[in-house]
């Protein structure tokens, strides 16, 4: 059996305005690793994780768009990465439910 590429999974909550700290703190590293071709990369907007601090749907959509736009503007190559919004993947919450029932 052949071994596939290691997986890179990273999520960012859309809870604040994008700033230079976001770039140096996470975005730059995520982009470099995803674009390197060494990983099967998945980067997501963690909008469900943001619900505990933000319940304004209009603001959440705006910040989500800004976060995705920032990743693309900083050089994330969409040919090499799966870029998605957490709430668009029902399996995420389904798996969370299962884990919550079997872990303490």
């Amino acid at each position: 059996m052949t071994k596939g590429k290691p997986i890179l999974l990273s999520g960012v909550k859309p809870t604040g305005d994008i700033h230079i700290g976001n770039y140096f703190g996470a975005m730059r590293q995520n982009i470099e690793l995803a674009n390197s071709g060494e990983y099967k990369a998945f980067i997501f907007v963690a909008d469900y994780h943001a619900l505990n601090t933000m319940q304004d749907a209009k603001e959440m959509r705006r910040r989500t768009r800004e976060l995705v736009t920032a990743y693309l503007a900083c050089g994330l190559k969409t040919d090499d990465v799966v870029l998605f919004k957490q709430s668009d993947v029902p399996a995420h919450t389904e798996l969370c439910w299962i884990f919550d029932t079997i872990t303490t």
Side-chain angles (χ1 to χ4, degrees), residues 2-14:
T2 61
K3 184 177 178 184
K5 293 179 180 180
I7 294 174
L8 166 69
L9 173 66
S10 183
V12 181
K13 294 192 303 185

Side-chain angles (χ1 to χ4, degrees), residues 6 8 19 24 46 60 63 65 70 74 78 86 88 90 93 98 104:
L8 166 69
H19 53 80
F24 286 111
M60 180 79 79
R63 291 182 186 271
R65 279 191 307 272
C74 289
T78 56
Q86 180 182 26
D88 286 340
T93 51
I98 292 168
T104 56

